[in-house]
């Protein structure tokens, strides 16, 4: 599944919510005269609702076919976005219904009398309540579409943050605990670098760690860091020439934690005075 910039998707959903708000306000406050005026004012709103429906379906397809669909909780967001497509479609139906109820002033079939003023007025008057009902339903569906877009945007943000927190927690759990000595050694290697050498000055086969800033690191500390995967060394170079020590990604994660507190030394126990043989208690 392709990766997806969820932050960008959230922004686009917020924008789409505003795109629904605009026709909702226009439909809700629409002032018109039945006939040609109503046709000219309602038709653009119907076309806008159809365009928005197409945009919703595009976002639904993008999210459903992306890696987001594997995120826990994503099904609810996808279902909600599908309901937005239904609401925007119903808004279009309401606008189309208003156009159907709109009285048109075309000529009747041959043999039928043309409307007189009274009949014309009656047709227009009768059409208004039905058109108003269709427009009210369209406005309601557009309002639901706005709410749905905001809901999906918020859900995606929450799903993304929850996934990020789980990842951070898992990474934190994978980082081993360090002593203060190990932490300081790891930090020295991260900042100044270091090399592992084998030297005969202290006896055959003796190895030591040399750091860029002169920090002394014992071999026991280096081995502990290396065993935990916090540092590595260049095995392609001979020890006599010096193997470069590098701090791994896990090592850098360990350094992002606070420096461990110093271990408090336990006070030495006072030895009990010896009991002399033959002494009375």
């Amino acid at each position: 599944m392709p990766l997806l910039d969820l932050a960008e998707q959230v922004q686009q959903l917020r924008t789409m919510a505003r795109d629904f708000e605009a026709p909702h306000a226009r439909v809700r406050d629409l002032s018109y005269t039945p006939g040609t005026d109503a046709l000219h004012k309602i038709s653009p709103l119907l076309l806008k609702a159809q365009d928005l429906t197409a945009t919703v379906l595009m976002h639904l397809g993008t999210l459903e076919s992306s890696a987001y669909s594997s995120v826990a909780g994503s099904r609810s967001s996808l279902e909600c976005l599908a309901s937005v497509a239904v609401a925007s479609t119903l808004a279009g139906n309401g606008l189309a219904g208003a156009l159907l109820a709109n009285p048109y002033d075309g000529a009747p079939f041959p043999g039928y009398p043309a409307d007189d003023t009274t009949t014309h007025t009656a047709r227009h008057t009768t059409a208004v309540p039905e058109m108003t009902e269709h427009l009210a339903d369209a406005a309601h569906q557009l309002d639901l579409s706005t709410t749905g877009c905001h809901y999906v945007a918020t859900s995606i943000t929450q799903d993304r943050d929850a996934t990020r927190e789980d990842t951070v927690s898992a990474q934190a759990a994978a980082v081993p605990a360090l002593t203060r000595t190990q932490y300081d050694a790891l930090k020295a290697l991260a900042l100044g670098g270091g090399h592992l050498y084998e030297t005969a000055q202290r006896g055959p086969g003796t190895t030591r760690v040399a750091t860029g800033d002169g920090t002394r690191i014992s071999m026991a500390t280096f081995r502990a860091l290396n065993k935990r995967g916090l540092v590595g060394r260049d095995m392609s170079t001979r020890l006599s020439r010096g193997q470069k020590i590098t701090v791994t990604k896990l090592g850098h994660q360990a350094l992002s934690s606070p420096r461990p507190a110093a271990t408090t030394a336990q006070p030495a126990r006072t030895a009990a005075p010896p009991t002399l043989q033959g002494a009375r208690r």
Side-chain angles (χ1 to χ4, degrees), residues 46 48 50 79 83 94 110 118 123 134-135 142 155 157 163 170 182 191 196 201 225 236 238 243-244 248 254 257 280:
L46 173 56
K48 181 63 176 179
Q50 292 174 336
E79 290 175 347
S83 73
T118 302
R123 289 180 61 241
H134 285 300
L135 292 174
L142 289 169
S155 295
T157 301
T163 301
Q182 293 168 348
L191 295 177
L196 187 67
Q201 294 179 355
L225 297 176
S236 64
R238 290 180 295 176
Q243 296 179 346
K244 183 178 180 181
T248 64
S257 302
R280 296 181 179 180

Side-chain angles (χ1 to χ4, degrees), residues 200 225-226 241-242 247:
L225 297 176
N226 182 251
R241 297 186 59 183
V247 177

Side-chain angles (χ1 to χ4, degrees), residues 132-152:
T132 299
E133 183 178 353
H134 285 300
L135 292 174
D137 184 60
H140 175 64
Q141 297 298 336
L142 289 169
D143 188 40
L144 291 178
S145 299
T146 300
T147 303
C149 288
H150 282 303
Y151 176 86
V152 176

Side-chain angles (χ1 to χ4, degrees), residues 26-255:
R26 291 175 59 190
V27 173
R28 181 193 59 200
D29 301 329
L30 187 63
S31 176
Y32 64 93
T33 300
T36 304
D37 181 61
L39 176 63
H40 289 168
K41 290 181 177 178
I42 297 175
S43 295
L45 296 172
L46 173 56
L47 294 174
K48 181 63 176 179
Q50 292 174 336
D51 287 342
L52 288 172
T53 301
T55 303
V56 172
L57 291 175
M58 180 192 70
H59 283 288
L60 178 59
T62 299
L63 288 170
E64 197 277 335
S65 60
S66 72
Y68 172 68
S69 61
S70 62
V71 175
S74 60
R75 180 186 299 176
S76 175
S77 298
L78 296 174
E79 290 175 347
C80 182
L81 197 55
S83 73
V84 172
V86 174
S88 62
T89 300
L90 292 176
N93 289 345
L95 292 166
L99 291 179
L100 178 61
N102 184 43
Y104 298 97
D105 297 327
F109 285 109
Y112 288 85
D115 291 346
D116 55 21
T117 303
T118 302
T119 304
H120 179 274
T121 302
R123 289 180 61 241
H124 281 234
T125 302
T126 304
V128 170
E130 186 176 356
M131 294 178 66
T132 299
E133 183 178 353
H134 285 300
L135 292 174
D137 184 60
H140 175 64
Q141 297 298 336
L142 289 169
D143 188 40
L144 291 178
S145 299
T146 300
T147 303
C149 288
H150 282 303
Y151 176 86
V152 176
T154 300
S155 295
I156 292 176
T157 301
Q158 293 174 344
D159 295 340
R160 180 193 61 186
D161 292 345
T163 301
R164 184 179 300 166
E165 290 175 1
D166 291 342
T167 301
V168 171
S169 299
Q171 291 175 344
V175 176
L178 300 178
T179 65
R180 173 172 284 200
T181 299
Q182 293 168 348
Y183 185 94
D184 292 342
L186 186 62
K187 186 174 182 180
L189 292 171
L191 295 177
H195 289 79
L196 187 67
Y197 289 96
E198 184 178 65
T199 175
Q201 294 179 355
R202 301 178 184 178
T206 301
T207 54
R208 65 182 180 87
V209 177
T211 59
D213 61 1
T215 300
R216 298 184 63 180
I217 300 176
S218 68
M219 282 304 301
T221 299
F222 171 78
R223 291 191 186 99
L225 297 176
N226 182 251
K227 182 178 180 181
R228 298 179 183 188
L230 303 177
V231 297
R233 55 176 172 151
D234 181 10
M235 301 292 288
S236 64
T237 306
R238 290 180 295 176
L239 278 171
S240 59
R241 297 186 59 183
Q243 296 179 346
K244 183 178 180 181
I245 300 172
T246 56
V247 177
T248 64
K249 182 178 180 180
L250 185 61
H252 285 289
Q253 291 177 4
L255 289 174

Side-chain angles (χ1 to χ4, degrees), residues 4-25:
L4 190 65
D5 187 343
L6 292 181
E8 181 180 354
Q9 284 294 312
V10 168
Q11 183 60 40
Q12 291 178 1
L13 285 167
R14 298 290 187 197
T15 299
M16 192 163 61
R18 291 192 293 271
D19 290 340
F20 274 112
E21 287 176 354
H24 166 255

